[in-house]
Amino acid sequence: MADRERKGLIARWLEGKERSEEYARSTLPTSRWGLFWDILKGRFGRLMLTNLLMLLTFLPLILIIVWRYLAVAVQGTNAIFGAGLGVGYPAVPDITGQAEMLLVQADLFFFGLMIPASAIAALGVSGGAYIIRNLIWTEGIFVANDFLRGIKRNYLNVLEALLVFTALLFFARTMGNLADFYMIASPGSSTAGWMMASKIIGYIFVAFSVLLCFWMISLGINYKQGPWSLFRNAVVMTIGTFPQTVFFAAIASWPIFLAIFGNGFLLIIAIIILLLFGFSYTFLVWMDFSQWAFDRFINPTIGVATGRGLYNKDKQTAKSSQPSAEESAAMREYKRMIVAQGKSKLACRPIKPLDDEMEVYQLPESFSRDDLRKLRESKEAIEDDVKAYEDEHKNDEQYVEYNRQFEERERALQEETAGKKKKPPRPPKMLNKR
C-alpha cells in the first residue's frame, strides 16, 4: 500500500494536478488574465526550470552580444583616436568617418554571427514555448520530456521565425551604420539623405519583425503549416490585431529590452529576472494572448474547441440541446467513422456463449452414410439453438439501443449530406491543428 501511494505521489508530481482524479474543471480560471496569474503563482518552479533550459540555448547569442559590446568599447581607445598624443610621427591626417566605418565592419561580423546563433536559440524557444502552451492548456507536463518533444515538433517553424528576425536585423543595422557613415563623411550630399531615410525604414522593419517573429512562433507551435503559409499568416495576424499585438509584445518583452538598453542598477535587475524566469515570462504572456486571438479569430471557424485552460460557466450551465460548432464538427466526424465502418456483427445482435450442451458429432475413422447424417443433424441442431437464443434476446436493451443509435447516425449523416447545396469555402492552410 505504501509503495502504491508513493508511486501515485510521483505520478501526480510529474504530470500535474490536471490529470488527477480529484481535479475539478470548476477550479480553472475564467479569464486569460486569471490564467496568467494562476500559472505564474502555481507553476513558478516549472517556469524557472523551463527558463533555465531556454537560457542554455541562448548562451551563444548572449556571448555574441557581450563580445560585440566589448569590441566596440575597445575601438574607442584605439590609437588613431588619440589625437596624436604620444603616438609619434607621422600624425594621422584625417580620421573623419573612421569610427563609423569601424563600426560598420564590426557589426557586419557580429550581427552576421547572430544568424547562425539564432539556430541554436530556436532549440530553446521551440521546446520552452511548447511547454508553456501546454501549461496554458492546463495539460499535465513533464518538463524534460515535453521540452524534447517541443523541439521535435516545432523546431523548423521556430527556426524560420528567428532567421527572418535576425536577417532583417542584420540588414537594418547595416543600413543604419552606412547612413551614419555617409552623414559624417558627406553631410551635404544627396546620398546621405537617402541613407538617412533607409535608416529610419530599417528601424521600422526591425520593430515590425519583432511582432512578426512572435506571431510566427505561436502559429508554428499551434498549427501545422508550410514555410510560406506560416509567414503569410503571421503577417495577417500582426496587421489584423496590431494594437493588441503592440501592447502585449511590449508587456511580454520588457525584461529583454531592459537588459539590452538598460544600464547600472536597471541592468542588474534585468539580468536577474532573465536568469530566473524572464524568458518563460515573455512566452507566457505572449502565448496566453495568442491563445485568446486564436479562440476569437481562428478556432471557431475550423471546429476546434475554444477556451482551453479556462472554465466557462455559461457553457457548463447551458441547458440548450443545440451542440456548439466544435461539438458538431467532432460529432460529424464520429458519425462518418461509425457509418463508414458499418454495424458490428458482434454488437448488433445476440450471440450465444460457448457451452458444452451442444456438440458436433465426431466422425469415426471409418464412417458410413449414417455417420454423415448424424454429423449434419448435430450441426443443424447447433444452428437452431443459436437462432433460438438470438430470437429470445434480440429485444434486450443493449442491442436495441446500439441499433437505434447506429440508424440515427446513419440517417443524420444522410440528411446532412443531402442538405448541402454548395461546397463550403476552402479553409486557410493554418487550420490544421497540432
Side-chain angles (χ1 to χ4, degrees):
M1 181 65 69
D3 184 65
R4 185 183 306 171
E5 292 178 355
R6 183 167 58 253
K7 290 181 179 179
L9 177 63
I10 295 175
R12 287 193 296 272
W13 182 78
L14 292 177
E15 295 179 350
K17 66 178 182 179
E18 295 84 359
R19 293 183 182 176
S20 64
E21 295 179 357
E22 297 82 7
Y23 182 70
R25 298 294 297 177
S26 59
T27 62
L28 292 175
T30 57
S31 66
R32 290 293 171 188
W33 286 109
L35 179 61
F36 166 77
W37 290 112
D38 184 70
I39 295 175
L40 192 63
K41 293 182 296 183
R43 295 289 183 270
F44 191 75
R46 299 195 178 192
L47 290 177
M48 290 183 63
L49 181 57
T50 303
N51 188 82
L52 176 61
L53 294 175
M54 287 192 289
L55 182 62
L56 293 176
T57 63
F58 274 90
L59 285 179
L61 190 60
I62 295 173
L63 291 176
I64 291 173
I65 295 174
V66 175
W67 185 12
R68 175 193 175 274
Y69 173 78
L70 296 176
V72 172
V74 169
Q75 284 183 0
T77 63
N78 196 287
I80 62 173
F81 304 113
L85 297 177
V87 175
Y89 182 85
V92 178
D94 187 10
I95 60 173
T96 302
Q98 188 65 36
E100 288 73 18
M101 180 51 64
L102 290 176
L103 186 61
V104 171
Q105 296 173 354
D107 283 350
L108 283 175
F109 175 71
F110 289 110
F111 279 81
L113 284 180
M114 288 183 184
I115 296 177
S118 66
I120 302 176
L123 295 171
V125 174
S126 56
Y130 178 76
I131 291 175
I132 292 174
R133 188 209 67 175
N134 290 344
L135 286 176
I136 292 174
W137 285 2
T138 62
E139 293 185 356
I141 64 166
F142 184 26
V143 174
N145 188 39
D146 284 358
F147 188 82
L148 296 177
R149 184 181 293 113
I151 294 175
K152 182 179 179 180
R153 297 182 59 176
N154 308 311
Y155 177 72
L156 293 179
N157 287 337
V158 174
L159 176 63
E160 179 187 354
L162 294 185
L163 287 180
V164 168
F165 170 70
T166 52
L168 289 175
L169 182 63
F170 173 80
F171 174 77
R173 184 63 182 179
T174 301
M175 296 303 296
N177 288 337
L178 290 176
D180 292 337
F181 172 75
Y182 280 104
M183 288 292 291
I184 296 297
S186 304
S189 64
S190 59
T191 306
W194 283 105
M195 295 302 294
M196 191 63 188
S198 68
K199 181 178 180 179
I200 297 174
I201 295 174
Y203 287 153
I204 296 174
F205 268 98
V206 169
F208 185 79
S209 67
V210 172
L211 309 179
L212 188 67
C213 180
F214 272 127
W215 274 117
M216 291 180 71
I217 291 173
S218 56
L219 284 167
I221 290 176
N222 282 273
Y223 302 95
K224 295 180 180 179
Q225 51 203 315
W228 170 244
S229 298
L230 178 62
F231 179 80
R232 181 194 61 192
N233 295 330
V235 172
V236 172
M237 293 299 295
T238 303
I239 298 176
T241 61
F242 190 75
Q244 298 95 328
T245 296
V246 172
F247 177 75
F248 282 100
I251 294 179
S253 57
W254 69 264
I256 299 176
F257 283 98
L258 186 62
I260 295 175
F261 301 106
N263 51 38
F265 184 68
L266 293 179
L267 178 60
I268 296 175
I269 293 177
I271 293 176
I272 294 175
I273 292 175
L274 289 178
L275 291 176
L276 293 178
F277 64 94
F279 296 111
S280 294
Y281 162 83
T282 296
F283 287 104
L284 177 59
V285 172
W286 180 257
M287 296 299 288
D288 195 20
F289 159 69
S290 62
Q291 288 299 317
W292 168 83
F294 295 154
D295 286 345
R296 182 172 183 180
F297 301 110
I298 298 178
N299 292 338
T301 64
I302 62 175
V304 175
T306 60
R308 296 191 64 171
L310 301 178
Y311 176 68
N312 191 334
K313 296 181 179 179
D314 297 333
K315 184 176 181 179
Q316 297 297 329
T317 57
K319 301 300 182 181
S320 174
S321 61
Q322 295 297 329
S324 62
E326 53 270 15
E327 291 174 342
S328 298
M331 183 58 68
R332 286 196 299 269
E333 182 64 23
Y334 177 67
K335 291 176 182 178
R336 292 189 185 96
M337 293 174 60
I338 292 296
V339 175
Q341 292 176 359
K343 281 186 180 181
S344 172
K345 294 182 179 180
L346 299 177
C348 69
R349 63 188 179 88
I351 297 179
K352 188 178 186 300
L354 294 176
D355 54 39
D356 296 332
E357 296 179 1
M358 307 293 295
E359 296 183 355
V360 179
Y361 179 76
Q362 301 294 325
L363 291 174
E365 295 183 2
S366 178
F367 55 87
S368 62
R369 290 181 179 272
D370 186 59
D371 293 323
L372 294 175
R373 179 183 57 79
K374 292 180 180 180
L375 174 62
R376 183 177 65 254
E377 290 177 352
S378 66
K379 290 183 178 180
E380 291 175 352
I382 293 176
E383 292 176 355
D384 293 341
D385 184 64
V386 170
K387 185 67 170 59
Y389 181 88
E390 181 177 346
D391 293 339
E392 180 182 355
H393 295 278
K394 65 181 180 180
N395 293 325
D396 289 358
E397 183 179 358
Q398 56 180 334
Y399 307 113
V400 174
E401 182 66 18
Y402 175 84
N403 291 322
R404 183 187 65 79
Q405 291 183 3
F406 183 87
E407 292 171 359
E408 288 181 355
R409 293 170 187 149
E410 188 176 24
R411 183 168 57 254
L413 183 60
Q414 292 175 352
E415 292 175 355
E416 178 187 348
T417 305
K420 293 181 179 179
K421 298 182 179 180
K422 61 180 181 179
K423 187 177 180 180
R426 184 179 180 182
K429 291 184 178 180
M430 73 163 62
L431 303 184
N432 296 322
K433 190 73 175 176
R434 278 194 182 275

